[in-house]
Every structure is written in C-alpha cells, then in structure tokens.
Amino acid sequence: MTQVQDQLSEVAAAISTAAQAVDGDADASPVLVAVVHEFDAKAAKATKLAAGGMKEAREAVVELEQAGDSAKAAAEADPDAGEATKKAVLDAHLSICMLKAKL
C-alpha cells in the first residue's frame, strides 16, 4: 500500500507541475486552466483517499484518471497554449495512466 501512496505522490507532483505551467502560460485558455486546476484538486483528494486502503486507492486513481483525460483533451484542444504547457499536462496524464495500469 505504501508503494501506491508513494507513486500517487509522484503523480500528484507531475500534476502540480502542470498546474504551475498553465498558471504561467498567459496564452492558455481559461478552460484549460480550470480543467488542470480541477485535475490538481483531484490529485490532492486522491492522495488522502489512498491512505484508506487498497479499494479506496483504486477508486481514487480511477477518478483521477478521468480528470486527467479531461485535462489532456483540454490541452490538445487549446490552440494557444504553449508547447511546454501542453507537454506538462500530457506528462501528468501519462503518469496517472501508468499508475492505473500497475494497479
């Protein structure tokens, strides 16, 4: 269980990096900013839920992956967001997908 929590912490760090990237990107759309911030909020919630046990961890990861899917779609749809911003969001999405595959 500790391993999942550790990996979830790494995922949360990648998501936080994405949130910082959208905040620093003046050309990112308000929709992208909002969706990535929701992704970041879900990461904080998932980290807390994962402490409850393996079932809770799985549910949190699934919910987090859904938020990541939305963030990925928003990044890909935003024509004005910078490439570094898009990469940060896609990297965060990939990190949660990889964790889910391990569960």
Side-chain angles (χ1 to χ4, degrees):
M1 186 64 211
T2 303
Q3 183 179 7
V4 173
Q5 289 174 311
D6 291 344
Q7 291 173 338
L8 197 51
S9 292
E10 291 172 19
V11 169
I15 296 168
S16 178
T17 298
Q20 291 171 5
V22 297
D23 286 343
D25 187 344
D27 295 325
S29 71
V31 172
L32 176 59
V33 174
V35 171
V36 171
H37 279 275
E38 179 64 20
F39 190 22
D40 194 34
K42 296 275 184 187
K45 179 181 173 185
T47 302
K48 290 178 186 173
L49 287 175
M54 197 58 165
K55 179 181 178 203
E56 291 82 358
R58 281 191 187 107
E59 290 173 4
V61 167
V62 168
E63 185 176 336
L64 188 55
E65 183 188 30
Q66 291 171 345
D69 290 345
S70 296
K72 177 182 182 268
E76 291 173 337
D78 188 341
D80 298 324
E83 288 304 313
T85 299
K86 290 181 182 184
K87 183 178 181 334
V89 174
L90 296 177
D91 287 349
H93 175 262
L94 180 61
S95 70
I96 188 58
C97 290
M98 291 174 59
L99 176 56
K100 183 180 176 217
K102 291 178 184 179
L103 290 181

